[in-house]
Amino acid sequence: MDRKIKVLIVEDEWLISEVMKTLLERLNYEVTDVAVSEEEAIEKIEENLPDVILMDIVLMGAMDGIETAGQIRSRWDIPIIFQSAYSEEKILERAKMTNPFGYLVKPVKEKELHSTIQMALYKHGLDQELKQNQERMKLALREAMKRRVEVSALLESARAVLKHQKFQGAARTIFDNCKKLIGATAGYVALLSKDGSENEVLFLDAGGRECTVNPELPMPIRGLRGEAFHLKKTVYDNKFNESQWVKFMPEGHVTLDNVLFAPLIIEEQVVGLMGLANKKGGFDKEDARMASAFAEHAALALHNSRVLESLENSESRFRAVAESAVDAIISADSTGRIVTWNNGAMKIFGYSKEEAMGKPLTMLIPEKLREIHQKGFERVVSGGEQRVIGKTVELEGLKKDGSKFPLELSLSTWELGNEKFFTAILHDITERKQKEIELQKSHEELKKAFDTLRKTQALLIRQEKLASLGTLSAGVAHEILNPLNIIGTIVQVMQMKKQPKEMEENLDEIMNQIQRASKITNNLRIFAHKREPEMSSVDIHALFDKTASLLQYDLQLENIMIKKLYDPNLPLIEADEDELAQVFMNLMTNAKGAMKERKENYITLQTRALEGMVEVHFSDTGPGIPQEIIHKIFDPFFTTKDPGQGTGLGLSVLHSIIEKHGGTITVESEEDKGTTFVITLPVRSGSKE
């Protein structure tokens, strides 16, 4: 809710003031008070500052309303509206001198009173805004003038950075501009020593004060200087003689009233300082800001001078390296003419420097490659695709005597002014190519020998393990099976007789365990039994279909569907059909067990023909095999099933069958996504691929 406008009435006639008060309150104004004289008016204003004053021109007392208005206006910026029963010209002229915001003639009408107050407030608001704008304009003008001076000084410093190749000349100009702009009278510029322990003074300006300290003496990084170095920002102290830093001053040093230090920073490292001192009135934040800007210019000038010096040194080193290099280093302009030619190029190509300079690069390229070279060169010069720039490629070169030789090319581009240049480093790789050929032959022979040795070693180790395990399994099976048969016979005899119910249940459990033990021993006998495979031509698709039909009912009970992605051009293979059926049966049985209680159950068989081989992918959507045990799944007696649910021989037997057929079997698995067995088998001799 908006507050009411407060009005002070200055009127010495009681009846008129009461009428005015009534009118104002009816118009929803707040009357703060009624004053009858200049003294009382000022007192009321001090107690409760009004928004507008209604001033009677004729007042009792030492001052009339016009003089009272003048007193009020000199102390407060409150709009005043005069009211009077008189309208003489002289009175109006006097009233104008106090800049009134309105004039009411008594008796005052309600509508006229309201509109006059509103206009007075509106005019007063405009006057306030105008005054504020004028103040802002003055401030902006002063700030603009100040910034103009700052920009001018900074521009002169920037020109010094570009003008002077040596740092000392640029630093002096930058320092003088900074000192003049800020108003300091003394200072210096110093660079960090190589070991980083002290400043080395470049120049010092004592500002006319006596200084007997040798400027060439070391200036350790400590005190306020140390603060600037470690904080990496401009610092200042306007009471330096009373500060803790004064103890670091050497005897004979110029008297310092106040001090400012701005660090020179290159790549976030402080490399020097610009110091200023003895500014009348002391330094402030604005001085610190400007000093930082000039210090940046000084740091840039130092960086430029170091870069230029480094470039000069680099150019000298490059000339020395280029001339002493064994490789050919050749540069050409945008027309393809040779502009640099080192001793290495002379030795490799056979041309002297005088013979090569200014000649086209094509004289070093065999005839058959010149057209390709020219098109590529023109494409790069015109700003097109750069296929060779920045890469190392092998090409063929042409010597002065007409002989060709292999070389290695590294090509780069650079610009000088508006012209593009190319520099090539060429290495004669004739000897390396010969050695590479010899090395490749040796490598291939060694690889073949190593592969043969590795396969033979792995086969021998596995055969030894299986042979030992087979012998042990056969013996164990024989020794266990006989007692099991005897125990089973006795149990059957007991079952034939009438027994108590509890005894019958115990005998049934004993018989179940005997059958389980017999199954394990029979598996051991099968694992230990060695028989020669009966090889014949086998259609993998037909064999899988036949094997899958045997398990079709069990798979449907578990809600397992089979997907077949057969290669229609899959050739026949040479295999023992029974053993290969055992492989498929084992994989499907394992998959069925793994996919129990899962929502989406699929077994997928995918085949494809390879060169001399067929590849079979057998996949399920089971829980997958943990990575930490996947390498063990083909080991004999390793199983992830619950006790009594498996012997751990199935995948080991399967692995032996595939190896016996000259194939391979590998496994890929991802937890919660399924498992895939990849089987490769050789095609039948004479079969079309």
Side-chain angles (χ1 to χ4, degrees):
M1 183 176 180
D2 295 337
R3 73 173 183 85
K4 293 181 179 180
I5 296 171
K6 297 189 291 185
V7 181
L8 172 64
I9 301 172
V10 184
E11 173 63 62
D12 57 0
E13 292 187 25
W14 174 81
L15 182 59
I16 294 176
S17 65
E18 285 299 313
V19 172
M20 294 296 293
K21 183 177 180 181
T22 301
L23 289 174
L24 289 168
E25 288 175 347
R26 186 186 301 168
L27 292 169
N28 203 31
Y29 293 103
E30 177 187 343
V31 178
T32 61
D33 220 324
V34 177
V36 298
S37 65
E38 175 259 345
E39 294 87 354
E40 192 175 359
I42 291 174
E43 182 181 337
K44 300 298 183 184
I45 293 171
E46 289 175 343
E47 291 176 359
N48 191 355
L49 192 69
D51 296 311
V52 66
I53 298 172
L54 294 179
M55 177 71 71
D56 185 17
I57 292 179
V58 180
L59 291 176
M60 61 187 226
M63 293 185 183
D64 63 8
I66 296 173
E67 292 174 311
T68 301
Q71 289 291 322
I72 293 172
R73 292 284 287 166
S74 67
R75 295 180 59 183
W76 294 283
D77 185 16
I78 302 173
I80 297 174
I81 300 172
F82 285 124
Q83 57 179 350
S84 176
Y86 309 101
S87 58
E88 288 88 346
E89 188 69 26
K90 290 183 179 180
I91 294 175
L92 292 176
E93 287 299 322
R94 284 185 61 217
K96 287 180 182 179
M97 296 178 66
T98 61
N99 295 319
F101 284 79
Y103 194 94
L104 292 169
V105 178
K106 298 177 183 179
V108 178
K109 296 179 181 179
E110 181 177 326
K111 186 175 182 181
E112 185 181 0
L113 174 63
H114 179 62
S115 62
T116 303
I117 291 175
Q118 291 299 314
M119 286 301 296
L121 291 171
Y122 177 70
K123 181 184 176 185
H124 180 259
L126 292 178
D127 286 352
Q128 290 291 99
E129 186 175 348
L130 179 60
K131 289 178 182 178
Q132 291 173 1
N133 288 337
Q134 287 175 341
E135 286 300 317
R136 283 196 290 267
M137 285 294 291
K138 290 177 183 178
L139 183 62
L141 184 59
R142 287 195 298 269
E143 191 67 21
M145 292 298 293
K146 183 180 178 182
R147 292 289 178 260
R148 181 179 178 184
V149 174
E150 291 175 356
V151 169
S152 178
L154 286 170
L155 282 174
E156 188 174 348
S157 296
R159 284 192 289 269
V161 173
L162 299 174
K163 176 182 177 182
H164 298 278
Q165 292 187 1
K166 299 298 181 182
F167 175 63
Q168 186 154 355
R172 187 74 218 201
T173 301
I174 294 168
F175 170 79
D176 289 343
N177 280 316
C178 182
K179 187 184 73 166
K180 180 180 178 181
L181 179 67
I182 290 176
T185 59
Y188 69 87
V189 172
L191 299 180
L192 191 64
S193 61
K194 289 183 178 180
D195 62 4
S197 63
E198 59 186 38
N199 279 326
E200 295 177 351
V201 177
L202 195 65
F203 57 80
L204 185 146
D205 183 352
R209 297 190 183 185
E210 185 179 3
C211 180
T212 59
V213 177
N214 184 354
E216 296 182 2
L217 289 177
M219 188 182 292
I221 299 174
R222 61 187 183 184
L224 193 58
R225 283 195 304 271
E227 292 292 301
F229 263 101
H230 298 135
L231 295 176
K232 296 182 181 179
K233 68 177 185 178
T234 300
V235 297
Y236 60 89
D237 192 325
N238 286 324
K239 295 182 179 180
F240 188 79
N241 280 327
E242 302 174 15
S243 71
Q244 58 179 318
W245 318 117
V246 74
K247 63 185 178 182
F248 298 113
M249 295 277 288
E251 187 177 349
H253 196 284
V254 64
T255 304
L256 298 178
D257 303 326
N258 45 58
V259 175
L260 178 148
F261 290 110
L264 278 58
I265 301 174
I266 298 177
E267 296 179 352
E268 299 185 0
Q269 296 296 319
V270 177
V271 295
L273 278 179
M274 181 167 65
L276 297 172
N278 297 337
K279 176 187 176 181
K280 186 177 180 181
F283 299 102
D284 56 24
K285 290 182 180 179
E286 188 65 17
D287 295 332
R289 184 183 70 82
M290 291 309 303
S292 297
F294 282 100
E296 286 182 18
H297 281 192
L300 181 60
L302 177 60
H303 180 67
N304 285 351
S305 68
R306 288 178 175 178
V307 169
L308 288 172
E309 184 179 355
S310 177
L311 285 174
E312 291 173 358
N313 293 336
S314 295
E315 186 177 356
S316 299
R317 286 195 297 270
F318 173 76
R319 288 198 188 98
V321 170
E323 291 305 319
S324 62
V326 176
D327 292 338
I329 301 177
I330 304 169
S331 294
D333 60 19
S334 57
T335 66
R337 299 275 173 179
I338 297 171
V339 294
T340 64
W341 182 268
N342 73 334
N343 291 330
M346 183 179 65
K347 293 176 182 177
I348 290 175
F349 289 97
Y351 293 98
S352 67
K353 190 171 185 178
E354 291 74 19
E355 291 174 313
M357 292 294 287
K359 299 297 192 303
L361 279 172
T362 50
M363 75 176 190
L364 310 176
I365 301 171
E367 184 69 32
K368 63 180 181 180
L369 301 176
R370 288 178 183 173
E371 184 178 352
I372 297 174
H373 159 79
Q374 192 60 34
K375 288 181 179 178
F377 187 84
E378 291 172 357
R379 182 180 64 251
V380 174
V381 170
S382 62
E385 182 184 2
Q386 300 182 358
R387 299 174 184 172
V388 182
I389 304 299
K391 300 178 182 177
T392 300
V393 296
E394 293 184 4
L395 298 172
E396 196 173 45
L398 183 65
K399 296 187 177 185
K400 182 179 179 180
D401 61 9
S403 61
K404 300 172 185 176
F405 68 101
L407 58 83
E408 193 173 67
L409 166 69
S410 296
L411 187 63
S412 61
T413 64
W414 49 282
E415 294 183 5
L416 185 62
N418 295 323
E419 187 172 2
K420 182 176 287 189
F421 292 84
F422 302 84
T423 296
I425 300 177
L426 303 141
H427 179 63
D428 187 342
I429 57 173
T430 303
E431 185 178 349
R432 191 183 81 186
K433 280 294 182 184
Q434 293 172 349
K435 290 182 178 179
E436 282 179 358
I437 294 171
E438 295 172 2
L439 184 62
Q440 182 65 27
K441 290 181 180 178
S442 300
H443 177 73
E444 290 175 357
E445 293 173 358
L446 182 62
K447 187 175 182 297
K448 289 179 182 178
F450 178 75
D451 288 343
T452 303
L453 178 62
R454 182 173 54 80
K455 290 179 181 178
T456 303
Q457 185 180 26
L459 184 60
L460 287 173
I461 292 172
R462 182 171 180 81
Q463 287 176 346
E464 288 177 4
K465 288 182 178 179
L466 291 177
S468 300
L469 191 57
T471 302
L472 176 64
S473 300
V476 170
H478 177 74
E479 293 300 326
I480 292 175
L481 199 56
N482 285 337
L484 286 177
N485 289 334
I486 295 170
I487 295 170
T489 302
I490 294 171
V491 171
Q492 287 176 339
V493 170
M494 292 178 69
Q495 286 178 324
M496 294 169 64
K497 297 179 182 180
K498 184 67 176 178
Q499 301 289 347
K501 184 177 181 181
E502 184 177 353
M503 178 61 75
E504 286 181 357
E505 292 176 354
N506 290 336
L507 290 173
D508 289 341
E509 179 62 25
I510 291 171
M511 202 62 196
N512 289 335
Q513 295 302 321
I514 290 171
Q515 290 172 355
R516 177 174 171 269
S518 297
K519 182 179 179 182
I520 293 173
T521 53
N522 283 326
N523 283 338
L524 286 171
R525 292 176 63 192
I526 293 170
F527 178 74
H529 180 64
K530 305 290 184 182
R531 73 175 185 86
E532 290 298 321
E534 298 177 3
M535 308 299 282
S536 63
S537 297
V538 176
D539 182 340
I540 286 181
H541 297 160
L543 180 61
F544 180 77
D545 292 343
K546 178 180 177 182
T547 307
S549 67
L550 299 176
L551 289 174
Q552 185 174 1
Y553 179 73
D554 290 340
L555 295 176
Q556 287 176 348
L557 288 178
E558 299 293 342
N559 194 29
I560 298 173
M561 292 176 283
I562 295 178
K563 291 182 179 179
K564 301 173 184 178
L565 304 176
Y566 290 165
D567 183 345
N569 300 316
L570 195 74
L572 301 176
I573 64 169
E574 195 79 15
D576 185 313
E577 186 170 334
D578 291 340
E579 289 189 342
L580 208 54
Q582 183 182 350
V583 170
F584 288 141
M585 180 67 74
N586 184 288
L587 290 176
M588 282 192 284
T589 302
N590 286 349
K592 179 172 73 70
M595 290 190 290
K596 283 185 177 181
E597 301 179 1
R598 292 180 71 86
K599 293 181 180 179
E600 294 185 0
N601 300 324
Y602 292 97
I603 291 175
T604 303
L605 190 80
Q606 183 177 6
T607 61
R608 64 170 178 163
L610 302 176
E611 186 176 352
M613 304 288 286
V614 297
E615 186 175 78
V616 180
H617 286 243
F618 184 94
S619 305
D620 64 50
T621 56
I625 303 171
Q627 293 301 309
E628 59 267 20
I629 64 168
I630 197 169
H631 65 285
K632 298 180 181 180
I633 64 168
F634 294 117
D635 292 348
F637 301 110
F638 178 80
T639 181
T640 59
K641 297 178 180 178
D642 295 333
Q645 298 299 312
T647 62
L649 292 173
L651 288 177
S652 182
V653 171
L654 181 153
H655 190 279
S656 298
I657 291 172
I658 297 299
E659 278 193 342
K660 190 163 54 177
H661 281 74
T664 63
I665 179 168
T666 57
V667 62
E668 301 167 358
S669 186
E670 189 173 350
E671 290 192 59
D672 292 327
K673 292 190 177 180
T675 301
T676 298
F677 287 88
V678 182
I679 300 170
T680 60
L681 291 166
V683 301
R684 182 175 64 85
S685 178
S687 178
K688 291 184 179 180
E689 299 179 17

